[in-house]
Amino acid sequence: DTAVSQTPKYLVTQMGNDKSIKCEQNLGHDTMYWYKQDSKKFLKIMFSYNNKELIINETVPNRFSPKSPDKAHLNLHINSLELGDSAVYFCASSLDSTYEQYFGPGTRLTVT
Amino acid sequence: AQKVTQAQTEISVVEKEDVTLDCVYETRDTTYYLFWYKQPPSGELVFLIRRNSFDEQNEISGRYSWNFQKSTSSFNFTITASQVVDSAVYFCALSEEDGGFKTIFGAGTRLFVKA
């Protein structure tokens, strides 16, 4: 009974490909997030959804498109992958945006 | 604009030493929330504490304690009698009303605890 799950855990792909990462939470939370963690461990928010509605959209290239089919799921689709997209991507959820976040295990994306 | 500074990039201690991780934040809001998260070598991010701007009480949880001081805009984290299992990267984070409660993370402090 994992609280926040992500698939896949590892993703190795070539430049130019399109890939998706899926995230699901079973905590009944209203808010979900995508973060990117670079090789220096710096964590940066990419997107935030509240009840399936996009509320935060940081300056992320529009090759990245989040989709929230329902409030328990937030998927991330990336088009035309570039070398600089290599990072660990974390999904998270919280009761609302003022509360602590619970993170998924991360997806390590390697673009070659 | 909100900002979180964790000036200590890496700290190395010997087991049983006490260690304090510093966190200084900037915000113009009166309503905001502060957090600490732990990222052990296994990579997952674990929530440790949440504090709102109206509650300056210090908190203790086992060997962990937090000191919140609005006068110095600091929210420091102390581990008493450190253990090897405390080795991790620790992140301080800030979420403010003005930013739509977007969470900004500090750069993290990597703590090494040697046996």
Side-chain angles (χ1 to χ4, degrees):
Chain A
D1 52 339
T2 309
V4 182
S5 59
Q6 289 178 234
T7 51
K9 196 164 166 58
Y10 300 96
L11 195 47
V12 181
T13 189
Q14 290 185 326
M15 277 174 56
N17 284 348
D18 302 340
K19 288 293 176 188
S20 291
I21 307 172
K22 293 188 175 184
C23 177
E24 176 180 359
Q25 54 97 1
N26 63 5
L27 296 167
H29 288 166
D30 283 345
T31 309
M32 294 186 74
Y33 312 80
W34 276 110
Y35 286 88
K36 179 180 180 181
Q37 186 173 45
D38 63 24
S39 56
K40 294 185 178 174
K41 295 289 193 181
F42 188 67
L43 258 174
K44 190 166 189 322
I45 190 164
M46 300 172 70
F47 302 103
S48 172
Y49 272 72
N50 188 61
N51 265 319
K52 303 195 301 175
E53 208 176 300
L54 181 67
I55 53 171
I56 291 174
N57 183 352
E58 285 297 279
T59 47
V60 175
N62 55 18
R63 299 181 294 104
F64 289 80
S65 50
K67 275 204 175 63
S68 182
D70 56 59
K71 75 173 199 177
H73 295 84
L74 179 61
N75 304 323
L76 182 66
H77 188 75
I78 316 170
N79 286 329
S80 304
L81 279 154
E82 299 177 357
L83 291 176
D85 297 332
S86 295
V88 180
Y89 291 84
F90 285 98
C91 175
S93 74
S94 63
L95 209 51
D96 66 39
S97 51
T98 69
Y99 281 86
E100 63 274 12
Q101 295 172 30
Y102 292 86
F103 285 81
T107 295
R108 182 174 293 278
L109 171 65
T110 304
V111 183
T112 61
Chain B
Q2 58 192 119
K3 188 177 173 185
V4 177
T5 302
Q6 294 181 255
Q8 304 148 308
T9 310
E10 283 187 6
I11 302 175
S12 187
V13 299
V14 176
E15 235 183 348
K16 296 185 186 166
E17 279 185 30
D18 299 347
V19 58
T20 295
L21 310 182
D22 297 333
C23 173
V24 173
Y25 62 92
E26 286 178 34
T27 178
R28 284 182 284 194
D29 252 322
T30 54
T31 302
Y32 54 90
Y33 297 84
L34 294 161
F35 307 85
W36 276 94
Y37 291 87
K38 173 181 179 180
Q39 188 173 38
S42 50
E44 73 272 26
L45 278 149
V46 178
F47 162 72
L48 295 177
I49 189 170
R50 168 184 181 259
R51 201 35 122 214
N52 77 52
S53 52
F54 301 108
D55 181 3
E56 268 191 272
Q57 258 193 329
N58 291 331
E59 176 135 349
I60 298 174
S61 175
R63 295 183 297 105
Y64 294 174
S65 61
W66 290 269
N67 183 277
F68 176 26
Q69 294 206 340
K70 284 171 82 166
S71 59
T72 54
S73 296
S74 65
F75 186 42
N76 297 337
F77 173 29
T78 297
I79 302 175
T80 303
S82 59
Q83 298 176 1
V84 172
V85 292
D86 296 327
S87 297
V89 180
Y90 290 88
F91 293 95
C92 180
L94 165 69
S95 169
E96 64 175 15
E97 187 173 26
D98 189 42
F101 292 114
K102 177 178 72 178
T103 304
I104 298 294
F105 282 78
T109 296
R110 187 182 292 274
L111 174 66
F112 294 99
V113 181
K114 294 181 273 194

